[in-house]
Amino acid sequence: MDNSFTYQPATDRYNRMQYKYCGKSGLQLPLISLGLWHNFGSVDDFTVATDMIKYAFDQGITHFDLANNYGPVPGSAETNFGRILKENFQGYRDEMIISSKAGYEMWAGPYGGNSSRKNLMASINQSLRRTGLEYFDIFYSHRYDGVTPVEETIQTLIDIVKQGKALYIGISKYPPKQARIAYEMMTKAGVPCLISQYRYSMFDRAVEAETLPLAAEYGSGFIAFSPLAQGLLTDKYLNGIPEGSRAARSSGFLQRSQVTPEKIEAARQLNEIARLRGQTLAEMALAWILKDERVTSVIVGASSVNQLADNLKALEHLDFTPDDLAEIEQILARMI
């Protein structure tokens, strides 16, 4: 793909994707969103990144998820995305949902990495400059930092909407106690929480106990990140840890210690169910998350157009039989 790429007519583009209203709002999101956590930074191939975003949009993926510290280096994913928008998407801004976040370490010193008003206001201004945007569709508090009063953080998000720097606001990875305070405060201010973003996969179901029900109670949409458990829910680790994989590296978000024999065996058994369903393990893992009516969308990462295309095949088979679900539950229960 190159700059001569011609986008498909809108009717074709949107017929390829399924959309869902986000919580109790009037905003629809695609069932699959593209995350720029990895593979879009200054150390990555810009041409490949451009091709993935073009392909995603042409398949009806309208939602692109960023954060101020995505890279590496921190900030470079936003810079690259802004360049891609300028060079390839003139006239398409109103067909896109672009989100960003702040709250993790971004620059040196006491103001560069928490959930204070000082950090969030500086961060959104920097992120808007890097992307070249006038506003974000969604802006999140990336985390509860354990120090900043929730009220300070949430008031800042509310003010960001009132200042026109974001259309909607969300929270990410907030513990239930702090999430409830956030939801209540946003609701009373007339700027309800549009969306809640948490880690969720077959291998990480912590949100099912309190977080998912709480989001639904307050009318917040829910979007899952790391739905493939950093690759554990693909065919990559079915026979152990391959050379060059994430888990084979000395540093990173997936450590060798996390690739346990129990998870490998569970993945093998899940893979057999997926095979009988006519899917890959990754496709089934994405479909399994989307079966919950409280889930609005899943964020997938990709390192190539082909990988993104494979993930989108999950939309071809989203239904599960009661037997499928029972067997999956048995496999996951044995892993605990």
Side-chain angles (χ1 to χ4, degrees):
M1 297 182 185
D2 55 33
N3 286 337
S4 63
F5 181 88
T6 301
Y7 297 108
Q8 296 293 323
T11 52
D12 294 341
R13 186 162 63 243
Y14 299 129
N15 284 339
R16 293 191 177 98
M17 178 55 64
Q18 298 176 48
Y19 300 86
K20 187 173 182 179
Y21 284 102
C22 191
K24 292 183 178 178
S25 78
L27 182 72
Q28 296 183 68
L29 293 182
L31 293 190
I32 292 181
S33 302
L34 182 62
L36 281 71
W37 183 15
H38 303 294
N39 304 313
F40 292 87
S42 56
V43 302
D44 300 300
D45 188 313
F46 183 78
T47 300
V48 172
T50 301
D51 288 348
M52 285 192 284
I53 291 173
K54 285 181 176 180
Y55 179 80
F57 185 70
D58 212 37
Q59 299 303 308
I61 293 179
T62 53
H63 178 212
F64 299 90
D65 184 74
L66 290 153
N68 63 342
N69 64 335
Y70 287 178
V73 296
S76 60
E78 288 183 329
T79 299
N80 283 344
F81 185 73
R83 178 182 164 192
I84 291 167
L85 287 182
K86 184 177 180 179
E87 293 179 358
N88 302 277
F89 287 89
Q90 294 290 338
Y92 289 95
R93 173 66 181 95
D94 291 339
E95 295 185 53
M96 295 176 140
I97 300 296
I98 302 169
S99 61
S100 195
K101 321 176 195 72
Y104 279 101
E105 186 70 23
M106 180 60 193
W107 65 88
Y111 314 118
N114 60 17
S115 302
S116 68
R117 183 179 183 87
K118 171 71 171 175
N119 175 265
L120 294 183
M121 284 297 187
S123 291
I124 193 169
N125 289 335
Q126 290 178 19
S127 291
L128 289 170
R129 286 196 296 269
R130 281 191 291 268
T131 56
L133 297 171
E134 295 180 357
Y135 65 91
F136 286 110
D137 296 280
I138 306 168
F139 192 73
Y140 293 87
S141 170
H142 207 165
R143 62 165 179 156
Y144 168 64
D145 64 11
V147 177
T148 306
V150 177
E151 293 82 358
E152 176 181 342
T153 303
I154 301 308
Q155 184 61 55
T156 306
L157 292 181
I158 292 166
D159 291 344
I160 280 171
V161 171
K162 292 182 177 180
Q163 291 172 8
K165 295 177 180 178
L167 302 183
Y168 302 94
I169 47 178
I171 58 173
S172 177
K173 295 178 287 190
Y174 270 48
K177 178 182 177 181
Q178 285 74 27
R180 185 177 289 277
I181 295 171
Y183 292 143
E184 287 280 359
M185 190 172 174
M186 292 178 188
T187 300
K188 289 178 181 178
V191 188
C193 183
L194 174 81
I195 192 165
S196 304
Q197 184 174 141
Y198 288 81
R199 187 186 305 272
Y200 186 29
S201 74
M202 285 178 165
F203 285 176
D204 188 345
R205 304 174 65 179
V207 298
E208 293 177 350
E210 295 182 77
T211 299
L212 260 172
L214 188 61
E217 177 185 340
Y218 282 91
S220 172
F222 186 95
I223 189 165
F225 72 90
S226 293
L228 302 180
Q230 294 291 309
L232 288 175
L233 288 166
T234 69
D235 59 8
K236 184 178 294 185
Y237 296 97
L238 296 180
N239 297 304
I241 301 175
E243 289 294 325
S245 64
R246 286 183 184 177
R249 301 170 192 164
S250 58
S251 62
F253 291 97
L254 180 64
Q255 297 298 302
R256 184 177 292 270
S257 61
Q258 294 173 276
V259 188
T260 63
E262 292 79 11
K263 286 181 179 176
I264 291 174
E265 181 56 31
R268 286 176 180 162
Q269 294 176 28
L270 291 168
N271 187 61
E272 180 59 19
I273 297 175
R275 186 187 67 80
L276 294 173
R277 284 169 50 85
Q279 291 181 303
T280 65
L281 174 56
E283 290 167 27
M284 186 179 78
L286 294 174
W288 182 86
I289 294 175
L290 289 168
K291 76 182 185 327
D292 192 314
E293 63 180 13
R294 298 168 296 184
V295 174
T296 310
S297 181
V298 295
I299 298 173
V300 300
S303 58
S304 68
V305 167
N306 287 339
Q307 190 177 80
L308 182 55
D310 288 343
N311 286 338
L312 285 169
K313 290 177 183 176
L315 300 177
E316 297 173 7
H317 191 179
L318 293 173
D319 296 330
F320 289 83
T321 68
D323 287 344
D324 283 343
L325 293 176
E327 191 170 356
I328 289 170
E329 285 296 328
Q330 289 176 2
I331 293 168
L332 298 179
R334 289 196 292 268
M335 191 184 68
I336 297 174

